[in-house]
Amino acid sequence: MNKLSFLLAIQPLAFTLFLGSCDSKKNQMAKSGQFQLSEETLNDTTYIYDSIGGNVIFAIFAGTDIESVPTNNPEWNELAVTVSIDPQGANNEISEGKTLTNKEKEEIGYIIKNQSFWEKDKSGSAPVGILRGFIKNSDIAPNSIIENIIKNRCLSEKNRTLSGMEEIVNKYDFVNYQFDSLLNNLDFYTEEYKDLNDIEEYILEDSWLSDPGSDRLSMLFLQEQLIAIVHKRPMEISNTTAFDLPGKRTMLILPNVKTDLADKLLKFKTEFYTSFFE
């Protein structure tokens, strides 16, 4: 199976950085509950750098919505933040000393060194641009990271179910795929995988700038029970068994899964990602 076949089987969501990061109504709804939909900065003032351990280029305030992705250095993430721009601005640069605001014109930081926008969208009544940099992991609110949200939810065994994860699945727009339809469209489907037909997989697609549409993590359920999680960003859950998969992914098998089913699921996911990345 090549990448085209994979994309036909799992159609990626549209790139949602502008829409997702600026959708304040959706974020406010989530913040009124148990978790927020976007990662957030933690400290009153968080400094953003031009490289890992490099020069400070701008600062953002506590509670600012961001998107980030891990780097090869476990203490740092690459960051993107969406800010309001002047629709009449002729160039692609924002000057030192300028105040940063979000789509709602709320102050969220300031520029320390002249910055160029990675991307701009001047359409609509609230045009925005994207600034990029590097942030220390310690400056990101831990409970705003989806991997940590799921980890905390799994601390209670009663939440290790589809109904226990329903709020997360709905608010984060996980995409549901049933294994039976997916398996039948794969070149390597065999009878040995028929025991996986009743599995439902809920996939969270990645909106990160350099990899939009890729799967960030997925949760697999069998008869309402959470049996496994596949992830590519740091994630640990107690009492699970971790297996490396191709494409720098890891599968966590929960303790309620029978060994023969776990073996088949591991073999299938290994073959699936091997076919995709080869």
Side-chain angles (χ1 to χ4, degrees):
M1 181 184 72
N2 55 30
K3 290 187 179 183
L4 178 59
S5 300
F6 173 79
L7 293 174
L8 289 174
I10 302 180
Q11 296 180 1
L13 294 175
F15 177 66
T16 58
L17 181 63
F18 287 125
L19 298 178
S21 296
C22 298
D23 190 351
S24 61
K25 182 177 180 181
K26 190 174 184 180
N27 279 324
Q28 288 169 5
M29 176 189 69
K31 289 175 187 176
S32 66
Q34 296 180 340
F35 52 79
Q36 54 264 26
L37 288 176
S38 296
E39 292 180 9
E40 290 186 352
T41 48
L42 180 62
N43 301 316
D44 290 342
T45 300
T46 295
Y47 294 106
I48 308 302
Y49 300 77
D50 60 1
S51 60
I52 295 175
N55 298 313
V56 175
I57 52 178
F58 61 93
I60 49 181
F61 302 144
T64 298
D65 290 342
I66 63 171
E67 290 199 46
S68 75
V69 65
T71 67
N72 291 329
N73 186 321
E75 296 182 1
W76 291 81
N77 273 23
E78 189 176 359
L79 164 142
V81 60
T82 303
V83 300
S84 176
I85 64 172
D86 178 6
Q88 307 302 321
N91 58 38
N92 195 43
E93 189 173 88
I94 184 168
S95 303
E96 175 183 336
K98 290 288 187 180
T99 297
L100 296 175
T101 60
N102 60 17
K103 190 177 181 182
E104 288 70 44
K105 306 301 181 183
E106 301 165 332
E107 291 190 13
I108 60 171
Y110 55 90
I111 295 294
I112 295 173
K113 184 179 179 181
N114 290 3
Q115 290 300 296
S116 295
F117 293 107
W118 184 83
E119 184 63 88
K120 292 196 296 185
D121 180 5
K122 292 186 177 182
S123 63
S125 59
V128 294
I130 301 172
L131 296 176
R132 297 178 71 173
F134 291 84
I135 184 173
K136 296 177 181 178
N137 286 345
S138 57
D139 288 330
I140 301 174
N143 290 335
S144 70
I145 300 171
I146 179 61
E147 285 80 6
N148 291 342
I149 292 170
I150 292 176
K151 172 185 175 180
N152 292 335
R153 186 62 64 96
C154 283
L155 292 176
S156 170
E157 187 172 340
K158 70 178 182 180
N159 287 331
R160 295 183 178 188
T161 61
L162 183 53
S163 58
M165 294 291 179
E166 185 177 10
E167 183 183 19
I168 294 174
V169 166
N170 290 338
K171 286 187 176 180
Y172 277 87
D173 295 327
F174 277 73
V175 181
N176 172 226
Y177 294 100
Q178 290 186 304
F179 258 50
D180 55 356
S181 58
L182 178 61
L183 288 169
N184 289 330
N185 284 285
L186 298 177
D187 298 339
F188 53 82
Y189 173 73
T190 63
E191 280 295 308
E192 73 173 304
Y193 292 135
K194 66 180 181 180
D195 292 343
L196 307 180
N197 277 337
D198 293 330
I199 291 176
E200 289 188 80
E201 183 170 22
Y202 289 81
I203 297 175
L204 177 66
E205 295 175 337
D206 210 333
S207 63
W208 180 249
L209 300 168
S210 60
D211 196 19
S214 172
D215 57 315
R216 174 171 175 171
L217 64 86
S218 67
M219 295 187 286
L220 296 96
F221 298 87
L222 178 63
Q223 297 174 349
E224 283 285 313
Q225 292 297 313
L226 180 65
I227 61 171
I229 296 173
V230 176
H231 63 95
K232 67 177 183 180
R233 300 194 187 187
M235 186 179 193
E236 294 181 359
I237 297 178
S238 59
N239 299 322
T240 62
T241 305
F243 297 94
D244 292 333
L245 295 174
K248 298 181 179 179
R249 285 162 172 77
T250 300
M251 184 164 67
L252 303 177
I253 299 291
L254 275 76
N256 60 320
V257 182
K258 294 181 180 179
T259 301
D260 59 341
L261 180 64
D263 289 344
K264 288 180 182 179
L265 186 57
L266 176 61
K267 182 178 179 181
F268 168 76
K269 280 294 185 180
T270 299
E271 194 164 5
F272 179 84
Y273 283 116
T274 298
S275 299
F276 179 57
F277 290 109
E278 68 182 6

